[in-house]
Every structure is written in C-alpha cells, then in structure tokens.
C-alpha cells in the first residue's frame, strides 16, 4: 500500500477523523484524555491511534507512564497535494471531452 493509500484508508473511518480533529484542537493529548471527548472507549481510541500512527498521521512520545499523541500535518499535506494533482488530471480530461463534444456539433 502506498503512503497516500494508507492515509486515505485511515481517514475513511469517521471516528478516526473525529479523533484527528480533537487531537488537532488540543495539540497534544493522551488516549485517556481523547476518550473523554469521543463516543468510544479508551481501548478503541488506542486502536484508532495505532492505525493513524501507521499511516503517519500522528506521532507518539512517552512521558513517564503516558503516551502523548500529536497530529502530523505534513502527511495530510502530502495527501492533499496528491488529491490536487488527481483533480487537475480529471479537469484536463473533462476539458478534452468537452472540446470533442463541441467539435462534433
């Protein structure tokens, strides 16, 4: 799976998107802190954080007994650039189709 595919798969889940939003607002948080703001258990939050971490969307660091998580916005930027390039290619195709249709008239 490519990096972009990993990010898209991770972002496909609404709970993970909500988790990223909460984490982005807080800047940095533990799984326990995040679970308070989400409709899932702490264990579910940890599982989602693992998936987000594998996709490169969050980082973690140990502080004493706790793991603190933060968003990695650069991975979102890479995916946004890929989506922009995809949109540009489709726009070019649609322009070509429009020209062909107009020239056929």
């Amino acid at each position: 799976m490519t990096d972009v595919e990993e990010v898209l798969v991770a972002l496909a889940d609404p709970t993970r998107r909500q988790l990223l939003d909460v984490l982005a607002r807080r800047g940095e948080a533990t799984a326990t802190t995040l679970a308070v703001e989400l409709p899932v258990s702490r264990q579910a939050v940890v599982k989602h954080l693992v998936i987000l971490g594998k996709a490169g969307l969050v980082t973690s660091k140990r502080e004493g007994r706790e793991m603190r998580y933060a968003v990695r916005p650069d991975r979102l930027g890479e995916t946004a650039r890929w989506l922009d390039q995809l949109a540009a290619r489709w726009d070019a195709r649609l322009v070509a189709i429009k020209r062909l249709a107009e020239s056929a008239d």
Side-chain angles (χ1 to χ4, degrees):
M1 196 177 313
T2 68
D3 290 347
V4 170
E5 289 171 331
E6 282 185 309
V7 169
L8 293 176
V9 167
L11 293 176
D13 184 276
T15 301
R16 285 194 284 274
R17 290 192 306 271
Q18 187 179 8
L19 178 57
L20 273 178
D21 287 342
V22 171
L23 194 53
R25 268 196 321 275
R26 289 186 155 277
E28 197 176 80
T30 64
T32 303
T33 303
L34 294 166
V36 171
E37 296 190 43
L38 296 167
V40 295
S41 68
R42 181 194 174 284
Q43 291 80 7
V45 167
V46 170
K47 288 180 182 180
H48 285 299
L49 286 167
V50 167
I51 292 167
L52 292 168
K54 286 181 180 177
L57 293 168
V58 298
T59 60
S60 61
K61 66 179 177 181
R62 183 167 294 284
E63 284 186 9
R65 293 183 5 202
E66 295 182 327
M67 291 295 286
R68 300 196 62 79
Y69 299 89
V71 174
R72 276 191 62 201
D74 56 312
R75 286 303 295 252
L76 291 172
E78 291 171 18
T79 303
R81 283 189 294 280
W82 178 83
L83 288 169
D84 286 343
Q85 291 169 357
L86 178 65
R89 287 194 302 271
W90 274 103
D91 286 345
R93 289 178 182 139
L94 291 173
V95 166
I97 290 169
K98 181 181 177 190
R99 283 189 194 131
L100 282 172
E102 289 172 346
S103 68
D105 289 338

